[in-house]
Amino acid sequence: MQWQNPPSIDRHLDVVQNNEDHGGLLLGASSLTGCQWGGSLWYFDKAESAPDVEKSAAGTRLDAGITDGQWFSANNVVIGLDSGCIELWELVDNFHTFNRTFMAKEHDDMVNSISVTADKTRVVSGSQDNCIKVWDLENLQSLHTYKAHLDHVHCVCCHPTKSDVFLSCSQDGAILLWDTRKPKPASKIDKSPLESIPTCITWQPNSEHNVAVADQVGNIIYKDIREKKSLLSWKSHSRSVHRLAFSPDWPNTVASVGEDCNVVVTRLTEDQSIEIYKDESHQDFVQGLSWLKGSSELVTCSWDSTVKTHCISALSQCSENGLPTGMET
């Protein structure tokens, strides 16, 4: 089914994702006012064109508000909706038309987070209904439903190289490591010194065991999931952190956004975390975050209806491991 461009972009910008294959930008927006919430999905050839509807290459109306989205091929995306739906969309006509190829509503509440596996064949979804589901992107069906969490699932994140492994964190305070090959797939990860509810989690690129976890009061930890003690801990925000993302080009550099409206970039060394960038120009919750691969830039979107590109100039003075040039270990 093909959909025509809506006349305008909804106010609350929730999702921004750069496409590593061709540099285009996916933007997801919601209208969170009135009796019925709705949403829209947009594609821009260049990040600097967003969110100008006149410069969009494609757009489509959604039946509900969008909560998360991710590319799983050069022209295909998977999105989660606040209705509990998972949808797949394909960009056709030379990236000028969205075509919905799949829709399923198996969650009983809104989908909070989705993550595509390393081999691009499955997607994991976490929901307000306390459940995690694993979906087959090739056969368009759900494979597993897991109910290990006791409260809302805030975030799921697939391992960068192991397609059967992912992490989840929940309002119940737990961080779980999942391996779907095992009879008992979930095991608990120690979150100390975090004392508050974990809200988002992400794997470090080029690392099998290292992750960053943030919580609802702005704290972030960096740890090896095999160890109880965290490698580093720091406070980047004054309120809940909504998203974390390591740079694909500087793996020791992590960006964070949250409800304090700030965008913060932190460089991690062996013994300290160093804030190298902070932007306070957003006027509402910052919901979306995506690095532009092959550059020192990242893009953010906010409920203030703006999309901003941030140039992290300090990274040009760093080597690929995130340390200042000449300080590699």
Side-chain angles (χ1 to χ4, degrees), residues 50-287:
D52 187 343
V53 67
E54 299 296 328
K55 296 180 180 179
S56 65
T60 183
R61 177 62 54 191
L62 301 173
D63 296 329
I66 184 172
T67 54
D68 204 359
Q70 192 172 344
W71 297 95
F72 65 92
S73 76
N75 62 330
N76 288 275
V77 298
V78 54
I79 62 173
L81 301 177
D82 59 24
S83 62
C85 283
I86 294 291
E87 295 185 354
L88 305 185
W89 290 82
E90 181 184 18
L91 275 162
V92 296
D93 298 333
N94 197 27
F95 294 90
H96 284 90
T97 304
F98 276 105
N99 180 33
R100 189 170 67 189
T101 58
F102 175 74
M103 177 183 68
K105 186 179 185 301
E106 295 191 16
H107 284 291
D108 294 329
D109 208 329
M110 70 168 59
V111 176
N112 287 328
S113 177
I114 60 172
S115 184
V116 176
T117 58
D119 61 6
K120 310 297 184 184
T121 64
R122 286 161 285 166
V123 62
V124 180
S125 59
S127 170
Q128 290 278 103
D129 65 4
N130 308 353
C131 293
I132 293 172
K133 296 185 71 71
V134 179
W135 305 79
D136 186 331
L137 290 172
E138 296 177 336
N139 298 313
L140 304 180
Q141 63 181 352
S142 62
L143 300 175
H144 306 287
T145 300
Y146 298 116
K147 300 180 179 180
H149 283 295
L150 304 177
D151 211 329
H152 308 330
V153 180
H154 288 308
C155 184
V156 291
C157 186
C158 291
H159 194 279
T161 59
K162 297 181 178 180
S163 296
D164 298 295
V165 177
F166 64 91
L167 290 161
S168 65
C169 62
S170 164
Q171 185 66 24
D172 64 13
I175 301 170
L176 298 182
L177 173 66
W178 297 82
D179 188 334
T180 57
R181 297 166 296 186
K182 296 181 178 181
K184 294 183 178 180
S187 57
K188 195 169 184 179
I189 300 297
D190 189 279
K191 66 174 185 177
S192 59
L194 290 184
E195 297 181 353
S196 187
I197 303 298
T199 54
C200 54
I201 189 165
T202 188
W203 296 90
Q204 184 181 31
N206 305 329
S207 174
E208 186 174 350
H209 305 290
N210 291 355
V211 302
V213 188
D215 70 12
Q216 64 181 6
V217 295
N219 296 312
I220 303 175
I221 61 172
Y222 170 63
K223 69 174 298 159
D224 182 327
I225 58 173
R226 299 168 298 179
E227 306 294 335
K228 182 175 181 179
K229 184 179 179 181
S230 296
L231 300 172
L232 296 169
S233 63
W234 68 98
K235 187 177 181 69
S236 284
H237 299 268
S238 59
R239 299 178 68 179
S240 181
V241 179
H242 189 67
R243 290 190 192 274
L244 289 168
F246 280 97
S247 166
D249 298 289
W250 287 271
N252 280 16
T253 301
V254 61
S256 55
V257 298
E259 293 185 359
D260 61 1
C261 310
N262 294 337
V263 180
V264 179
V265 179
T266 305
R267 188 172 68 235
L268 309 179
T269 70
E270 289 187 350
D271 57 0
Q272 63 180 326
S273 58
I274 305 169
E275 184 179 295
I276 62 172
Y277 180 86
K278 185 173 185 178
D279 181 88
E280 302 175 301
S281 62
H282 280 297
Q283 301 300 307
D284 207 334
F285 296 166
V286 187
Q287 298 288 98

